[in-house]
Amino acid sequence: MQSRRGILFILSSPSGAGKSTLARRLMNWDNTLSFSVSATTRNPRAGEIEGREYFFRSHNEFVQMVDNNEMLEYAEVFGNFYGSPREVVENTIVEGKDVIFDIDWQGGQQIRNSGLASDVVSIFILPPSLKELQERLRGRGQDTDEVIQNRMEKCREEINHWAEYDYCLVNRKLDDTEEDLKNILKAERLKKCRQLTLEGLVSNLYNEVDLKS
Ligand code: ADP
Ligand code: 5GP
C-alpha cells in the first residue's frame, strides 16, 4: 500500500507573477514532483518544447480531447484554450507522487469541484504591485507589447479569485516565495488525512501495548 496519495498542487496567479519560475524551482528541489503538462491551442514561444512546457494542439485536436473526456479541466484564457490531461494526473497521484499545476482560476475551480477535491492544495501567487507585474512580463521578453497589454488588462479578473485558494503568497523575493512553497508542501504531505498507513501503525502500537501488559 502507498503510504499516501499524491497532492494536486495548484499554482495560479496573474500572468507574469512568477508561477512557472516557482514551479521549475520546486521541481529542481524535489525530483519526485511531476508537472502537469497542459495542452494548449496557443502557439509555442521561442524555446518552448512540445511535451515539456505544453502539448501544442490545433483547435480541432483540443476539442476532440475535451469530447473524449480526456481533460481534468479546461478553459479559454487570453483567447486560447488550455487544459490539463486527466489520465497522467490520476495515475501519478495513485502512485503517491505529487503533481504541480500551473493553471488559471477557472481550472483551479474546476479541479476543486471535481472528485479530486480532497487531494488539492491550491496556492495563489500575487505580484507585489502591478508596476512590478508589467516589468516582469516585459523582462520575460517573450511576448509582444500587445500580448503584454492584454495580459495586464486581464490581471484584475485573475486576482479577483485569490480568496478561493488555500494559501496566498506575495512573490517579492523569489527565494522567499520558493521557501514558503516548500514549507507548505512539506506540511501538507504530513497531514494525517494523507498518511494512509497511520491507522495500521496505530493499531499495531495498540497490539504491542496489549502484548506487554
Ligand atoms: P508566470 O508563469 O506567472 O506567467 P513567470 O514565472 O514566467 O510568470 O515569471 C515572469 C518573469 O518574472 C520571469 O522573467 C521571471 O524570471 C520573473 N520573476 C518571477 N518571480 C520574480 C521575483 N520574485 N522577482 C523578480 N522577477 C521575478
Ligand atoms: P501562458 O500562455 O503564459 O503559458 O499561460 C497563460 C495562462 O494560462 C496562465 O495563467 C496559465 O496558468 C494558464 N494555463 C496554462 N495551462 C492551463 C491549463 O491546463 N488549464 C487552465 N485552466 N489554465 C492554464
Side-chain angles (χ1 to χ4, degrees), residues 5-207:
R5 268 170 76 79
I7 295 171
L8 278 63
F9 205 60
I10 297 180
L11 303 181
S12 298
S13 78
S15 181
K19 60 194 171 314
S20 315
T21 308
L22 289 161
R24 270 195 302 275
R25 283 180 167 223
L26 281 184
M27 312 243 319
N28 285 339
W29 165 68
D30 179 349
N31 62 15
T32 68
L33 283 169
S34 57
F35 182 69
S36 170
V37 180
S38 300
T40 182
T41 60
R42 96 152 153 71
N43 292 326
R45 293 185 184 125
E48 287 185 331
I49 293 175
E50 164 71 16
R52 188 180 68 183
E53 278 80 14
Y54 284 106
F55 298 110
F56 296 97
R57 294 291 177 263
S58 68
H59 186 82
N60 284 347
E61 287 168 337
F62 193 96
V63 170
Q64 193 66 57
M65 290 176 83
V66 172
D67 288 348
N68 294 343
N69 197 27
E70 289 172 40
M71 294 300 196
L72 186 56
E73 61 74 32
Y74 72 96
E76 190 177 348
V77 191
F78 309 133
N80 286 298
F81 284 97
Y82 295 80
S84 311
R86 173 195 303 282
E87 192 178 356
V88 62
V89 173
E90 289 178 347
N91 292 342
T92 307
I93 59 167
V94 168
E95 288 169 14
K97 292 187 188 147
D98 306 322
V99 183
I100 303 189
F101 291 77
D102 171 342
I103 60 178
D104 85 327
W105 66 271
Q106 304 173 85
Q109 262 188 7
Q110 289 172 47
I111 300 184
R112 276 196 304 274
N113 292 331
S114 76
L116 297 174
S118 59
D119 300 313
V120 170
V121 175
S122 60
I123 294 119
F124 199 88
I125 313 279
L126 283 171
S129 68
L130 291 192
K131 184 168 171 285
E132 173 70 21
L133 183 68
Q134 190 165 34
E135 276 163 21
R136 288 184 191 173
L137 280 170
R138 289 213 181 105
R140 187 161 69 184
Q142 285 176 320
D143 296 308
T144 61
D145 286 349
E146 192 188 343
V147 168
I148 291 176
Q149 186 57 32
N150 180 252
R151 289 180 178 222
M152 286 303 296
E153 280 163 17
K154 299 277 166 57
C155 77
R156 284 184 185 81
E157 186 186 335
E158 185 77 28
I159 290 173
N160 263 339
H161 295 272
W162 72 275
E164 296 163 17
Y165 286 69
D166 298 320
Y167 299 88
C168 185
L169 303 178
V170 183
N171 182 22
R172 295 187 179 91
K173 289 195 180 143
L174 261 174
D175 287 348
D176 293 347
T177 317
E178 179 186 353
E179 208 50 40
D180 288 343
L181 284 174
K182 288 177 186 169
N183 289 335
I184 292 170
L185 192 51
K186 284 193 251 182
E188 289 286 345
R189 283 172 171 171
L190 291 172
K191 275 195 169 160
K192 67 177 190 292
C193 59
R194 298 217 160 83
Q195 297 196 54
L196 303 178
T197 53
L198 273 187
E199 278 189 23
L201 173 68
V202 170
S203 95
N204 286 346
L205 292 175
Y206 275 127
N207 290 339

